[in-house]
C-alpha cells in the first residue's frame, strides 16, 4: 500500500529552498540537494511521485556516485 501525501506547496518551497542553499561544487552536496528536490516532489501537486519512487531514485543517485558518474561502467 502506498502512503498518500497531501499537496503542500509550502513544504515544497522550503525543501527546495534548503536544497538550493546547500548545493555547491562538491558532489556530496549536489547529491543531497538532488535528494531533497526529489523528496519535495512527494508534496508537489503537479508531480506523481511515491515514497518508493524517491527511494529508487536515491539508490540510483548513490550508485552513480559510487561508480564515479553517469559515463562510467559498473
Amino acid at each position: 500500500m502506498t502512503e498518500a501525501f497531501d499537496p503542500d506547496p509550502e513544504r515544497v518551497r522550503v525543501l527546495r529552498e534548503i536544497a538550493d542553499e546547500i548545493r555547491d561544487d562538491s558532489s556530496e552536496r549536489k547529491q543531497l540537494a538532488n535528494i531533497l528536490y526529489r523528496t519535495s516532489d512527494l508534496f508537489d501537486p503537479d508531480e506523481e511521485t511515491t515514497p518508493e519512487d524517491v527511494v529508487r531514485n536515491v539508490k540510483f543517485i548513490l550508485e552513480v556516485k559510487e561508480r564515479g558518474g553517469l559515463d562510467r561502467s559498473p
Side-chain angles (χ1 to χ4, degrees), residues 2-13:
T2 300
E3 182 178 342
F5 287 82
D6 293 329
D8 188 341
E10 178 62 14
R11 186 169 289 180
V12 171
R13 184 192 66 74

Side-chain angles (χ1 to χ4, degrees), residues 3-51:
E3 182 178 342
F5 287 82
D6 293 329
D8 188 341
E10 178 62 14
R11 186 169 289 180
V12 171
R13 184 192 66 74
V14 169
L15 286 169
R16 292 179 182 175
E17 185 177 287
I18 292 168
D20 290 339
E21 287 177 16
I22 64 169
R23 185 184 306 275
D24 77 359
D25 291 334
S26 90
S27 62
E28 291 81 6
R29 290 174 71 122
K30 286 178 185 176
Q31 280 182 300
L32 184 54
N34 289 341
I35 292 167
L36 287 172
Y37 262 95
R38 191 67 176 135
T39 301
S40 75
D41 289 346
L42 291 170
F43 304 97
D44 188 335
D46 297 328
E47 296 287 339
E48 292 185 20
T49 302
T50 66

